[in-house]
Amino acid sequence: MTTPLLELRDVGKTFGNVIALDGISTSVRAGEVTCVLGDNGAGKSTLIKILSGVHRPDRGELLLDGSPVEWAAPREALDAGIATVYQDLAMIPLMAVWRNFFLGRELTKGWGPLRRFDSAQARRVTTQALGDMGIDIRDPDQPVGTLSGGERQSVAIARAVHFGARVLILDEPTSALGVRQAGVVLRYIAQARDRGVGVVFITHNPHHAFPVGDRFLLLGRGRSLGDFAKGEITQEEVTRLMAGGAELDQLTHELQRPPV
């Protein structure tokens, strides 16, 4: 087994008396998708912020390529190749696709007081990078706000891969999408995986996670319900663990129609 790109060992985080995470361990390997599943309040957002350098864990270790690391700021994590795509995508709807692609990483030409944004090169690189991921955007000059939800997610994924992401963290990328658009995003997650990127797919939907996932970390109220390789658990078992098996059985019993 190769050394994981990113690994959590017994990580915990508290905010006052609130236990956000307690004893969480998992790993992210190159060319694999680690799915983090949990309902609202399970600790998914806190986990994202620890991986991306927003929060430091109170206990446990975060390892990069087998060596312990402590991010002082999100920029350090980004410079190390840990890219996070949040639900809001960090895009400006009225700006063109190519302008959003280079937002914060502007290509320039010239020097000194004549240094300026190289818009022509930015358009070419954006079109090429999207094409390399199999993403067909009608016009790179169109505002991002005119794209569908799935297209915006695909642009954000392609942007992270283009700028050298080794680990790509996706925060609920399919939560607000219809069936067809969710399928589009899952296809691009698989493409990022096949390019050797380690993907962390945060979701509350086992039906979206299971087709692309290689490892599944299940969270419940900040604690691990299990960390499984794909061959160790079925989609039905994932659903039961997330819902609480006994509670789900009780609900099913309550909802059954009485015999006529």
Side-chain angles (χ1 to χ4, degrees):
M1 293 292 288
T2 59
T3 301
L5 291 176
L6 198 62
E7 187 175 3
L8 292 170
R9 292 182 183 173
D10 197 32
V11 164
K13 182 68 178 178
T14 58
F15 297 96
N17 294 326
V18 177
I19 300 174
L21 293 174
D22 184 20
I24 305 301
S25 298
T26 194
S27 60
V28 184
R29 298 181 183 276
E32 292 188 359
V33 179
T34 296
C35 298
V36 180
L37 297 108
D39 230 330
N40 293 335
K44 304 190 300 297
S45 295
T46 302
L47 182 66
I48 292 171
K49 290 174 181 177
I50 286 175
L51 293 176
S52 61
V54 177
H55 293 324
R56 291 187 181 184
D58 296 327
R59 56 191 177 278
E61 284 187 314
L62 177 64
L63 296 92
L64 180 67
D65 295 321
S67 301
V69 292
E70 291 187 6
W71 311 127
R75 188 72 201 189
E76 289 188 6
L78 185 60
D79 290 343
I82 315 299
T84 305
V85 177
Y86 292 99
Q87 285 179 302
D88 61 9
L89 301 178
M91 291 186 179
I92 299 175
L94 295 179
M95 279 188 175
V97 172
W98 63 268
R99 187 65 184 85
N100 272 281
F101 199 88
F102 282 94
L103 193 63
R105 296 174 178 265
E106 286 75 8
L107 286 174
T108 59
K109 61 182 178 180
W111 58 278
L114 299 179
R115 192 176 185 87
R116 60 200 182 278
F117 187 25
D118 190 347
S119 58
Q121 179 67 0
R123 284 186 179 89
R124 286 192 293 270
V125 172
T126 299
T127 302
Q128 180 65 45
L130 294 175
D132 289 345
M133 289 284 290
I135 301 168
D136 182 19
I137 297 296
R138 295 174 293 278
D139 180 5
D141 284 306
Q142 69 185 107
V144 157
T146 65
L147 302 179
S148 69
E151 287 174 327
R152 287 196 296 271
Q153 286 284 351
S154 65
V155 170
I157 292 170
R159 178 176 65 181
V161 171
H162 174 75
F163 285 108
R166 301 178 64 214
V167 176
L168 176 61
I169 304 169
L170 301 172
D171 178 19
E172 299 273 11
T174 60
S175 63
L177 303 181
V179 175
R180 184 182 297 275
Q181 290 297 319
V184 169
V185 173
L186 294 178
R187 185 177 295 113
Y188 294 128
I189 290 174
Q191 289 192 16
R193 173 200 66 196
D194 294 343
R195 290 166 70 103
V197 177
V199 180
V200 181
F201 179 18
I202 312 291
T203 182
H204 62 270
N205 193 326
H207 298 285
H208 292 168
F210 213 79
V212 296
D214 298 289
R215 175 162 294 279
F216 304 90
L217 170 64
L218 278 68
L219 298 179
R221 296 184 180 180
R223 293 176 172 82
S224 174
L225 303 177
D227 183 36
F228 307 95
K230 190 162 192 172
E232 298 172 345
I233 195 169
T234 66
Q235 184 173 315
E236 291 73 20
E237 289 170 334
V238 170
T239 303
R240 284 182 61 81
L241 281 171
M242 288 180 63
E247 295 177 17
L248 185 60
D249 289 341
Q250 179 64 29
L251 178 61
T252 302
H253 178 72
E254 291 176 7
L255 296 178
Q256 284 179 344
R257 292 178 180 271
V260 179

